[in-house]
Structure formats: C-alpha cells, structure tokens
Amino acid sequence: MSEGNLGVEFDAAVGAKLGQARRILNRCNRVAAFSGAGLSAESGLPTFRDSEPDALWSRYDPMELASVSGFEANPVRVIDWYNWRRANYAGVQPNAAHRALAAQSRMIQITQNVDDLLERAGVPRQQVYHLHGSILRDRCQNSACEYNERIDPASPQPLRSCPHCGAHMRPAVVWFGENLPQAIWDRAQGLCLALDCLLVIGTSATVYPAAGLIELARQCGSRVIVVNPDPRAAADGGDVYLAGSAAAVLPALLEGFDLASHS
Ligand code: OAD
C-alpha cells in the first residue's frame, strides 16, 4: 500500500498507522506539537543522542559544554562550540516537517529545539514555546542583570562581557541543571492539561522536565501520536507510533487536516 503523498511512499504498516492517526486527528479540536532535534535533522542539524555518528552528545561531553560548571571552567571553549553550532544554523532551511506544522495556523508548537526553523517556516513567534531557549540570542550569565540580545549566527562574537554589568555573555539556552523559562513552561503545562491530541515529533523524550509533558497530556486525557524513525520511541506512551522521518510523515499526516476549521 502506498500513501502516495508528495511522492513519499509508505509501507503497508505505516500506511495503516497513518490512517489511524488521521482518524484520531479528525476528531480533535485541541492539537499541539511537542518536538525535539529530530524535527530539524532533515534540515541538516545534528541530533543529540541518536545512533547517528554525528549526534552531538556522542562526540562531546554535555557537562563540559552545556552546564554552568562547564562554562565557568572553560568559557572560551563553550562559546567557541556554540559559535560553531551557530555557523551551522546560519546555513540551514526549514524542511517539509516544519512547513507542514506551519500550515496548521492554530497549532501551538512546544519545542525543545533552540533553532528558529519553525518561525522561519511561518509559525507566528508567539505560537512557538521554546522550552530550552534560543541559540540565536545571547544573555548575561548574571541572572540578576537580564541583559540579552539577538546575535547574527553567521558572524557570532567570541567570549565577551555584558555591556551592562561586565559578567560574561552566554547563549540564551537552558543548560543541564538550570530551570526552564518559567513563563513558557507554565504555558506549556497549561496547554497540556487540556489537549485532545499531542503530536510528539523527533524527540528521545529523555530530558526532563520537558519530556514529562507527554505523560501530563496523556494523564489529562490527550491522545498521543509519535513520529520518529527509531522504534524505541514507540515506548513513549503513544496511541499511534508512526515509524518514519518527520519530513516524510508529517506532510502525509497533516495533508487535508486543518486545525483552524475545528472549533
Ligand atoms: P535527541 O537527540 O535526544 O533525540 C532526537 C530524536 O529524534 C531521536 O529519538 C531520533 O530517533 C529522532 N530522529 C532522528 N532523525 C529524525 C527525523 N528525521 N525525523 C524524526 N525523528 C528523528 O534530541 P531531543 O529529544 O530534542 O537540550 O533532546 C532533548 C534535549 O537534549 C535537547 O533540547 C538538548 C539536549 O541536551 C538542551 O540543549 C538544553
């Protein structure tokens, strides 16, 4: 069997699951997406803990590069590493999965991703809940200062001091051991209390508290549809597991679905 959307062929098993997922979606009014690095993988950005050899945490120690203690121990190394990642971000484009999500004008995008590919695909900024911050901004390491600014990923600056208080500037991302931005986290949790369906896309669902949103939504009665090529993701408590890449599955799943027409 072929689902035949956009030239993408699915085998019979995935085709049947797609049908099942579409039937669920068509009964839903309140649908949100919860995404991770797999959503941007086909744009050319590496994931963190995939089996792929270029997965970031197979090549680098997260405690050295994504923690306050790592930054304090070697701030130049941390900034250089983020600037290398930023240079990669400058050259990538949204993929078909970002565009399929952006076509759902009312759908809130809860994402662990620090890129802006959902926004560049057309999702309004206020509809993207960045749980782990943004790699496209710098902020002052002194939390009392609150100074932050957008950076140009194509020409990021080396380690520098905050123009207001003199502390180090750092990427405005959430590091291990840090709290999520409270207002965004509150909004994401509030949303998951009252959903009909949560699309869980391209995440290993191993980093908390973000991953806890899946269970929260389920406990509150939401259906869960998981999109991920790794069969281990089927264990994420999904009602339907769609085995495939986000850029192949999402356009097929969402074709003809219009959340805005569901009241
Ligand atoms: P991970 O790298 O942990 O997981 C990526 C997931 O995407 C895996 O389950 C892959 O199987 C799946 N995947 C790979 N390619 C895909 C594709 N083309 N389509 C769909 N899925 C695909 O990334 P996250 O779950 O996002 O935190 O990781 C969570 C957090 O851990 C990140 O936000 C980051 C990291 O440390 C911070 O930077 C604070």
Side-chain angles (χ1 to χ4, degrees):
M1 177 180 158
S2 160
E3 278 287 325
N5 302 66
L6 306 171
V8 177
E9 302 271 320
F10 295 101
D11 68 23
V14 179
K17 294 274 187 181
L18 265 173
Q20 194 187 339
R22 283 209 195 111
R23 284 192 292 281
I24 291 176
L25 278 180
N26 284 330
R27 292 196 299 270
C28 294
N29 297 321
R30 296 165 301 177
V31 181
F34 173 64
S35 57
L39 174 63
S40 298
E42 286 153 288
S43 292
L45 295 175
T47 58
F48 293 92
R49 43 185 82 68
D50 233 312
S51 47
E52 299 298 320
D54 64 348
L56 292 173
W57 297 154
S58 340
R59 294 192 280 159
Y60 305 100
D61 180 348
M63 286 306 137
E64 284 179 15
L65 296 167
S67 73
V68 171
S69 59
F71 183 59
E72 286 171 353
N74 196 341
V76 171
R77 176 160 189 250
V78 171
I79 296 300
D80 286 353
W81 186 72
Y82 277 93
N83 286 349
W84 164 73
R85 284 180 62 197
R86 284 165 164 167
N88 293 341
Y89 283 55
V92 301
Q93 301 298 328
N95 65 49
H98 297 106
R99 291 193 293 273
L101 292 170
Q104 300 299 322
S105 58
R106 278 183 39 215
M107 192 183 288
I108 299 291
Q109 304 294 326
I110 305 171
T111 188
Q112 300 162 93
N113 294 348
V114 295
D115 64 58
D116 66 347
L117 293 176
L118 282 164
E119 289 92 332
R120 283 165 55 194
V123 183
R125 204 157 42 104
Q126 66 278 10
Q127 274 178 229
V128 188
Y129 297 0
H130 282 283
L131 297 179
H132 291 164
S134 168
I135 200 166
L136 302 169
R137 298 193 78 81
D138 267 347
R139 74 166 175 85
C140 180
Q141 169 62 10
N142 170 11
S143 52
C145 171
E146 292 185 355
Y147 179 74
N148 69 90
E149 63 185 21
R150 191 168 171 91
I151 55 104
D152 176 0
S155 54
Q157 301 182 49
L159 182 67
R160 66 206 162 101
S161 300
C162 170
H164 284 248
C165 77
H168 282 142
M169 292 295 285
R170 52 161 279 186
V173 299
V174 177
W175 282 334
F176 288 102
E178 292 187 311
N179 292 329
L180 271 46
Q182 193 63 49
I184 298 285
W185 179 237
D186 289 346
R187 258 185 272 160
Q189 282 187 299
L191 183 71
C192 289
L193 296 176
L195 282 177
D196 298 322
C197 186
L198 182 66
L199 302 179
V200 176
I201 304 155
T203 177
S204 60
T206 50
V207 174
Y208 285 79
L213 291 175
I214 304 170
E215 189 50 32
L216 177 66
R218 273 184 77 77
Q219 283 172 354
C220 295
S222 176
R223 312 297 294 272
V224 173
I225 296 172
V226 175
V227 179
N228 197 311
D230 184 341
R232 288 175 297 181
D236 288 344
D239 296 280
V240 184
Y241 165 57
L242 297 170
S245 84
V249 170
L250 283 178
L253 175 65
L254 296 174
E255 188 184 36
F257 177 70
D258 180 8
L259 186 59
S261 70
H262 291 223
S263 56

